Amino acid sequence: MAANSQFAMAIHVLTLLARSGEAAVKSECVAGSVNTNAVVIRRLLSQLNHAGLVASQTGAFGGTRL
């Protein structure tokens, strides 16, 4: 994936998470918003988590929040 599209997708994801407030957002929901596969979003969220921008929780009640 090109760096430009990955950056644009990251901004979209961060904006979506900011608008969700304290609610955890699932990667499938984000993927639907971006119109891509959830695996692509999970990889991006992993990078954002490593940078300390988001917090993710796995499992049935998991999700990602700022």
Side-chain angles (χ1 to χ4, degrees):
M1 179 181 313
N4 287 340
S5 63
Q6 194 173 22
F7 178 73
M9 198 177 313
I11 296 298
H12 183 90
V13 169
L14 290 172
T15 304
L16 185 71
L17 292 174
R19 290 182 51 97
S20 71
E22 290 296 316
V25 179
K26 296 198 175 280
S27 59
E28 292 84 10
C29 178
V30 177
S33 175
V34 179
N35 196 25
T36 190
N37 194 317
V39 173
V40 175
I41 297 300
R42 288 186 198 111
R43 287 183 186 147
L44 181 63
L45 288 173
S46 173
Q47 292 175 345
L48 293 172
N49 190 23
H50 183 70
L53 297 173
V54 299
S56 297
Q57 181 179 357
T58 60
F61 299 107
T64 305
R65 57 177 63 96
L66 283 180

